[in-house]
Amino acid sequence: MPYAKDHKSKTRARILASAHRQFAEHGYDAASIDDIMKGAELTRGGFYAHFRNKEQLFLETILGGVVADGTAPWASARDAGVSEIEAMLRSYLSDAHIHEPAHRCPLITFPSEVARGTQDLRHAYQRVSLSIADALRSSMDGEDNRARSLAVLSIIVGASVLARAVSDEGLSREIRAASLEYALAPTG
Amino acid sequence: MPYAKDHKSKTRARILASAHRQFAEHGYDAASIDDIMKGAELTRGGFYAHFRNKEQLFLETILGGVVADGTAPWASARDAGVSEIEAMLRSYLSDAHIHEPAHRCPLITFPSEVARGTQDLRHAYQRVSLSIADALRSSMDGEDNRARSLAVLSIIVGASVLARAVSDEGLSREIRAASLEYALAPTG
DNA sequence: TGTACATCAGTGAACGCGCGTTCACTGATGTAC
DNA sequence: TGTACATCAGTGAACGCGCGTTCACTGATGTAC
């Protein structure tokens, strides 16, 4: 047993973290394995000892978002004086989350890539979607909230996608504010 | 004057149409100028007589969506027995629009590419966003609907993005149905 | 009406480049004695 | 405690390939006479 037994898994995690950054910033095609490995302080050849190929790395990058992580913007949160659901939505739509270069949530960082991708990729994206919808749902009042949680997920995903792709920061904020209000409004 | 005077502009339009198809199906990076030109029944060298480079072609592809087009899914429409806004939302979220390979609306076809793109690209995306929001707004009852039109735009964009990227067709429909209902619900 | 010509849209070979992936190797390190 | 060894994570040159872009050219066509 050369090397400690968690040595390889730690290296693998470093590659995944670097991959997330590179994919988020440049997109799937434009992020190169060379740059990803450099970001993990390794050289390109070592990549294939950890992942089958680039496609599998991307899939794991997306699935990484589903891992329980208390700092994720869709994690349960509670600010002073606002409901749990409001705190989650505000965090998800915050300037910090929208403009972070290595965007946390795969749903709004890789929508085009996944829509054009393999069934495996879409399956991973679906898992993340349902996981976030469940997190939203469990912080909503009332019962039988499945439909409402999916609609609210649509709102925050749409608002985030638009907010990031629009050129005017004022409009970006306006879209998020209008969407937040709409998402929180009671429906009959 | 060799060639009729609309000859070049017709060729240009053919290239744009082919580009939209290729970009929508494969994404910006994976769509090659070679394939785009083949789709317009031309060869690669001729491209640069029509467009400065690939980037400019992409920008014009996105702006093409803003052009008045009665057949666009966000165009004014009226089905029997439903309000104008409901007809528009149903059309936008229909199976036909969501699963069309050469997806019509640039907002849901190129979100990742634009978010990572140049200011010019985001400006074009913003113009399309506002144009569709205006179309929604003008078919809404009541006044001062700017905020509501932006929120509804977020819902249909988010629902479409999720619906296309998810692996299960049943979930895709469920997301769209829940989002449609939420978008049409009166808010207070 | 028929022909020579000038124009310029379109051709296709060529360019340099960076990509994903492979592979023979190197060398750091835990274990056995 | 000290040393030789086997292991295997990581290296980096090399591969074939397709990309965006350039450019010298070809040849179809409207116009002038």
Side-chain angles (χ1 to χ4, degrees):
Chain A
M1 279 287 140
Y3 300 95
K5 52 179 160 336
D6 64 346
H7 176 91
K8 195 167 185 184
S9 66
K10 279 185 175 174
T11 303
R12 195 184 145 95
R14 244 166 51 230
I15 298 173
L16 267 172
S18 171
H20 184 95
R21 263 178 273 126
Q22 294 289 328
F23 284 141
E25 193 162 351
H26 303 109
Y28 177 76
D29 287 309
S32 73
I33 287 177
D34 211 6
D35 286 341
I36 289 168
M37 292 301 275
K38 271 180 193 154
E41 293 178 293
L42 294 163
T43 55
R44 94 171 123 280
F47 175 77
Y48 296 88
H50 295 276
F51 299 93
R52 203 179 330 115
N53 52 34
K54 194 185 183 185
E55 177 79 24
Q56 194 217 336
L57 172 67
F58 187 48
L59 191 141
E60 294 207 29
T61 294
I62 285 176
L63 273 182
V66 90
V67 167
D69 176 352
T71 69
W74 56 88
S76 250
R78 189 178 276 282
D79 288 356
V82 301
S83 66
E84 193 174 356
I85 179 76
E86 180 170 350
M88 287 174 68
L89 300 188
R90 279 192 189 282
S91 163
Y92 197 94
L93 295 172
S94 67
D95 286 353
H97 183 226
I98 292 300
H99 294 305
E100 194 180 2
H103 214 285
R104 291 297 302 279
C105 179
L107 301 191
I108 46 186
T109 309
F110 307 116
S112 310
E113 284 91 339
V114 174
R116 294 182 198 108
T118 61
Q119 172 73 9
D120 278 357
L121 211 52
R122 299 209 308 284
H123 186 72
Y125 189 94
Q126 170 161 331
R127 279 186 60 193
V128 178
S129 300
L130 289 175
S131 147
I132 299 180
D134 278 350
L136 292 171
R137 198 176 169 189
S138 69
S139 58
M140 284 173 176
D141 312 321
E143 53 198 47
D144 199 22
N145 277 327
R146 162 108 176 171
R148 182 158 186 244
S149 72
L150 292 177
V152 169
L153 181 66
S154 290
I155 298 180
I156 62 175
V157 164
S160 301
V161 157
L162 289 165
R164 291 200 97 202
V166 128
S167 58
D168 186 83
E169 179 60 18
L171 181 61
S172 170
R173 287 223 179 86
E174 194 184 353
I175 290 168
R176 284 178 277 149
S179 300
L180 177 67
E181 198 182 340
Y182 206 89
L184 290 171
T187 27
Chain B
M1 280 287 137
Y3 299 95
K5 52 179 161 338
D6 64 345
H7 176 92
K8 195 167 184 185
S9 67
K10 279 186 176 175
T11 303
R12 196 185 145 93
R14 243 167 51 230
I15 298 173
L16 267 171
S18 171
H20 184 94
R21 261 178 274 127
Q22 294 289 328
F23 284 140
E25 193 161 353
H26 304 108
Y28 177 75
D29 286 309
S32 72
I33 287 177
D34 212 7
D35 286 341
I36 290 168
M37 291 301 275
K38 272 181 193 152
E41 293 178 295
L42 293 162
T43 56
R44 94 171 124 279
F47 176 77
Y48 295 88
H50 294 276
F51 297 93
R52 202 182 329 117
N53 52 34
K54 194 186 183 186
E55 178 80 23
Q56 193 216 337
L57 173 67
F58 187 48
L59 192 141
E60 293 207 28
T61 295
I62 285 176
L63 273 182
V66 90
V67 168
D69 176 351
T71 70
W74 56 88
S76 250
R78 187 178 277 283
D79 288 354
V82 301
S83 66
E84 193 175 356
I85 179 76
E86 180 170 350
M88 287 175 68
L89 299 188
R90 278 192 189 282
S91 163
Y92 196 94
L93 295 172
S94 66
D95 286 354
H97 183 225
I98 293 300
H99 294 306
E100 193 180 2
H103 214 283
R104 290 299 300 279
C105 180
L107 300 191
I108 47 187
T109 309
F110 307 116
S112 310
E113 283 91 338
V114 173
R116 293 183 199 108
T118 62
Q119 172 74 8
D120 278 357
L121 210 52
R122 299 209 307 284
H123 186 73
Y125 190 94
Q126 171 162 331
R127 279 187 60 193
V128 178
S129 300
L130 290 175
S131 147
I132 299 181
D134 278 351
L136 292 171
R137 197 175 168 191
S138 68
S139 58
M140 283 172 176
D141 312 321
E143 53 198 46
D144 199 23
N145 277 327
R146 161 106 176 171
R148 182 157 186 244
S149 72
L150 292 178
V152 169
L153 181 65
S154 290
I155 298 181
I156 61 175
V157 164
S160 300
V161 157
L162 290 165
R164 291 201 97 202
V166 128
S167 59
D168 186 82
E169 180 58 18
L171 181 61
S172 169
R173 288 221 179 87
E174 193 184 355
I175 290 168
R176 284 179 277 150
S179 301
L180 176 67
E181 198 183 340
Y182 206 88
L184 291 171
T187 27

